[in-house]
Amino acid sequence: MDVTLSQAREKWSEVAERLQYGEEIVLVNSKSRQAAVLRRLEGPEPSGPVWSSTKARQELGALVDAAQREPQILTVGGHPTAAVFQHTVPRPEKPQPETTAGVTGLGDVLDGLLESAPRTEGLSTGVAALDRICGGLVRGSVTLVAAPPNAGGSLLPLQAARAAAFDATAPTPVLYAPSGVPLQVAARRLVAAEAPVPYAQFAAGTLTPEQRQAVVGAEGRLRSAPLSFTRPEPTAQAIAEEAARIEGLGLVVVDRLQHARADHAPLSGRALPTAVRTLARLAAEQHVAVVALVDSDDVQLVDQLDADRVFHLTRPQDGGTARITVSARDLGTLAAVEVPLDMTHLRLLDPPSPAQPPVPSPAPASAAPSAPAADGPRTAEHAVPPPARRPARSAPPSTATAPRDGAAAGPAVVRRSSGTVAELVERIESRVRAALAEAQGEVAEAVAQLQKTAIPDVMDLLEQSRAGGRYDFRNYPDLPDILRKRGRQEADDIWEARPRWTAPPQVLDPLADQQAPVTALDINGAYLSALKAHLPIGQLEHHLGPDEGGPAHDPKRSGVHLVTPPAWDHPDLPNPIGDREEPGRIWITESTLRLLLRLSGPKTGLCERPLIHESWTSGSTEQLLESLRRALVEARTRALATDDAAGETAYEYIKAMYSKLVSTMGESNYNRDLYRTDWMHIIRSQAFANLWRKAWQARQAGLTIVRMMGTDELHLAGDWRTARAAGKDTPLFPEGREVTEVKPKQAYRLEKVAEGSYREREVD
């Protein structure tokens, strides 16, 4: 198994497992061109420096470099497991040009042309009908697949990759370069087509047991296939360098060249002609076939790229077939073929011969929701195909918000944004329009369908929001045992400070005597706001806390902390540590610790500083999920401002996305793309801390806190509508449905029925 350092970090658990079974792992540093091989220790242990598994994963570059000088020892759990040795990666020999002097007569050439079975070095496109008219993909040349958005252009390169890598008799090594499409999405498409299973259900995590077994049955074939991925968003030169390291490489697939310039994508905009020339040089020098998708059928652009051959792929209006027109440089159009589309499994099929019955429609109504056309720049993986093309809906310049206090509200301008946030908002709204079209305008049906795909959809949005970012959120560092569940039905050791508090009798008795009205307020989008939290972005490192001789709390780091919480002597305020009854030390998150430190500071002085005994922390940022959060907030605002089926559907869809993102980013079988239990606890605790701060502000404004529950429920006595934040003239609790506003859920009065027992009477 040959892997780059980045691939090894992402698949470190798989690397360790393969070592356990005796497989050799070759680590390749694509920058320094150094390589090292990992071999399981079976004989006497060689001498050499020792690396723990965690340290090796963090410093793979240094490990490979050290192995060039002497063997290195890799330990797991303190036990020597493998040795790391210097390795030389073989380079494929380049074909030498013919140097024989003289000329060749036409007769000699004719003999070769008339052979009954001429030898060809072309690779199959995966579509026999297309191979017959074009001879397949020619080694040493670049084939361009030009397709308009939503035509399914990426299915053809995908099919070619499968035909080469999964050939039962002679599999050919393939290098797949994902650009403009997330790596996980490209892999899902390959698996769905090869297993085969319905792509939409696979992406949504809703495969039936039989379909899941089909994937398991194909696992051996998938794992052994000689197919490798480059890093996402590579340059053309990086593709060429990676290709040079793969022995016997036959096919390079580039998915995709983006006609519009994108800052995060080197293979886009004006860089495309130069990139195609680099790919052509790669094809010629390494004698491989290169097939690249361009997300446009613009004739001028295609001509400018000057590829050897072009497959123009379009879809007739019925959408059930794809028409592929083959053209060559200097010759123009050569031939065309129309083939059926299987959008359920993302495959191109061969047309039936005249003697065969026609191929049935690939996506019957009883099957899973049909998958989308697999192209378009950075397109979300939808469970339904997009509707017929129509003019883009423009957001109204102004709409009316929900009226407050029964009065008509003034116009509220829907804020517009640009760049990544605007792209994400458009993707969300396009997704909603497609679902409504599929459901024929039925809101409940569209919402149910969107909720099923909320997890893969929000992960795709997160993928795009992080495009160009320096930190790869898919890099899963090893987590300490305190962040792992002790059993299937048991929790880990982290205390999230979830509030479940009701005021004591000395607070409630006067309210019952005075028959004071109490209002239950609902805090909008609590988890959505909590996405702005301090999240660790590297390997969590253990160190003692300041009260055990360690360093002081660093606001530039984040993680989890073992603390002794301070005493709480304020019966009219909920304890910020939550409703914990057991005394003593507890593990809390960064969000809870920052709240306690703020409350113990001189400005508030509500408690003593918590004692910090141990910490697991790493460098942190508040910006990791910020683009995604802003996009969800803006899409939510636009949905609320649109009083129609699309707005109602979008609102429920967005709520499902952010709530499921938070609930499944830990150890969840429903989200296999993100394993960050520390993030999950920190974001939840941030929501609880946000709610506590609102309760504190209410108390400062003269309101009485009656109850605080969960992430978003706050019961207050007093005139909350006129309450003002300390030192400000703006309402403390503006009423509405925006994330900065609150909704009154219930109004009631307390009636005392016994000592410490009260009954709620609704206000007429």
Side-chain angles (χ1 to χ4, degrees), residues 187-264:
R188 274 195 213 111
R189 292 174 178 174
L190 282 163
V191 175
E194 188 63 23
V197 293
Y199 174 77
Q201 289 179 249
F202 186 35
T206 57
L207 293 177
T208 65
E210 294 78 11
Q211 293 164 347
R212 190 174 297 277
Q213 186 58 41
V215 176
V216 173
E219 186 174 0
R221 187 168 72 255
L222 295 169
R223 287 189 181 276
S224 62
L227 192 150
S228 306
F229 291 95
T230 68
R231 289 183 62 85
E233 313 301 345
T235 63
Q237 185 59 39
I239 296 172
E241 292 174 359
E242 292 293 343
R245 298 184 179 93
I246 301 177
E247 185 175 3
L249 181 67
L251 176 64
V252 175
V253 173
V254 181
D255 185 7
R256 64 190 50 120
L257 308 175
Q258 301 179 67
H259 75 283
R261 180 180 178 275
D263 292 336
H264 62 274

Side-chain angles (χ1 to χ4, degrees), residues 14 46 62 71 82 103 115 189 247 302 350 454 646 670 679 711 734 752:
E14 181 183 339
V103 295
E115 288 180 4
R189 292 174 178 174
E247 185 175 3
V302 173
D350 272 307
Y670 297 99
W679 291 4
T711 61
K752 186 173 182 179

